[in-house]
Amino acid sequence: MSKPRYRWWGYVKAMLRSYPSLQDKTCQGTELRERQAIEAAVSQTLALPDGDARMKVIGLVFFQQTHTLEGAAMMVPCSERTARRWHTDFIKLVAKLYGLAD
């Protein structure tokens, strides 16, 4: 079974990596839309029963950029497969909220 390829995947990952620099900045246009999509995804993720663990993985991988996905899974702790699923779900949620995915 092949994995689907999304043209926006790399763009959303770049948005997530640059999010910490947008938090304290007055944004407009594209940067504002990116920040709003990420903040909405964060609040929706935190509302989930395991939202704190999911956001810890996302924070370590994207916002702080101190861990790989496997390393973040060890820090939470959860399985690497679970961390990968949370990672994928979060990227898809940001893409949906930004308007890149259906």
Side-chain angles (χ1 to χ4, degrees):
M1 179 186 234
S2 65
K3 295 190 305 186
R5 303 285 181 210
Y6 302 108
R7 289 183 291 176
W8 46 259
W9 190 267
Y11 176 62
V12 173
K13 286 176 71 173
M15 283 172 39
L16 290 167
R17 286 186 197 106
S18 67
Y19 175 69
S21 67
L22 298 177
Q23 282 183 308
D24 299 326
K25 182 179 172 187
T26 303
C27 300
Q28 58 183 351
T30 303
E31 286 182 339
L32 179 62
R33 286 185 51 226
E34 290 175 356
R35 189 176 79 189
Q36 289 172 338
I38 294 169
E39 288 172 352
V42 167
S43 66
Q44 287 183 25
T45 301
L46 286 172
L48 297 172
D50 55 358
D52 290 332
R54 287 177 182 240
M55 283 312 304
K56 184 168 184 181
V57 169
I58 297 303
L60 291 171
V61 173
F62 287 120
F63 302 154
Q64 297 169 8
Q65 299 179 23
T66 56
H67 291 72
T68 62
L69 195 53
E70 293 80 14
M74 286 190 276
M75 293 296 293
V76 167
C78 66
S79 71
E80 189 239 331
R81 180 68 192 124
T82 299
R84 190 168 304 283
R85 189 180 72 244
W86 292 346
H87 174 265
T88 301
D89 291 347
F90 192 78
I91 292 173
K92 287 181 178 179
L93 179 59
V94 171
K96 180 181 176 186
L97 293 170
Y98 188 73
L100 296 171
D102 296 329

